[in-house]
């Protein structure tokens, strides 16, 4: 299991504090103003967000995640990050987050 290295560093640790921090990113003056509320037609095929402390990058990221949250759900999402060890392309470990475990599509991982 892969533990989050960012919990308590880039964002608040613990479910309740992180949930509140994320809501502020969406609902604050620099965010989109609201959480994703409804589905719409259309898909998002790619997005890039900054990685950094939520106090700095959170509202920017919220704009992207609002689009993802309101678009049609994909079967699988591919998340690329620079936080793996140098030379490591991907991790097949289950990821532990403050909101629960993230299940991986190991068949897609093998194909990649």
């Amino acid at each position: 299991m892969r533990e989050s290295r960012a919990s308590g560093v880039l964002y608040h640790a613990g479910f309740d504090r992180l949930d509140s921090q994320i809501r502020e990113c969406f609902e604050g003056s620099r965010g989109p103003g609201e959480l994703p509320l409804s589905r719409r037609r259309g898909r998002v095929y790619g997005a890039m967000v900054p990685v950094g402390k939520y106090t700095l990058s959170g509202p920017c990221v919220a704009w992207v995640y609002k689009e993802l949250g309101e678009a049609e759900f994909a079967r699988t999402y591919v998340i690329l990050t620079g936080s793996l060890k140098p030379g490591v392309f991907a991790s097949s470990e289950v990821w532990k987050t403050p909101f629960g475990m993230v299940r991986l599509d190991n068949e897609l991982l093998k194909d990649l």
Side-chain angles (χ1 to χ4, degrees):
M1 177 181 349
R2 179 183 159 92
E3 297 280 341
S4 173
R5 290 184 234 156
S7 185
V9 178
L10 298 181
Y11 51 81
H12 290 311
F15 182 93
D16 291 332
R17 290 188 67 212
L18 179 55
D19 183 62
S20 176
Q21 186 176 30
I22 289 171
R23 286 178 183 280
E24 177 58 29
C25 291
F26 279 89
E27 297 169 350
S29 63
R30 296 184 306 144
E34 61 190 6
L35 294 166
L37 296 176
S38 60
R39 293 265 166 251
R40 58 176 167 70
R41 289 194 168 271
R43 295 182 176 172
V44 175
Y45 291 95
M48 184 181 290
V49 296
V51 175
K53 291 188 174 199
Y54 279 22
T55 54
L56 301 173
S57 65
C60 176
V61 172
W63 284 94
V64 175
Y65 289 141
K66 183 166 180 10
E67 287 295 315
L68 285 172
E70 292 179 347
E72 294 176 28
F73 278 137
R75 188 176 82 72
T76 301
Y77 292 90
V78 177
I79 301 170
L80 304 175
T81 177
S83 66
L84 297 173
K85 297 174 189 169
V88 175
F89 168 72
S91 171
S92 61
E93 298 174 81
V94 173
W95 290 50
K96 181 179 179 183
T97 77
F99 294 126
M101 308 305 256
V102 176
R103 187 180 59 179
L104 302 175
D105 184 339
N106 286 312
E107 291 302 313
L108 177 63
L109 185 58
K110 287 177 192 174
D111 290 343
L112 291 174

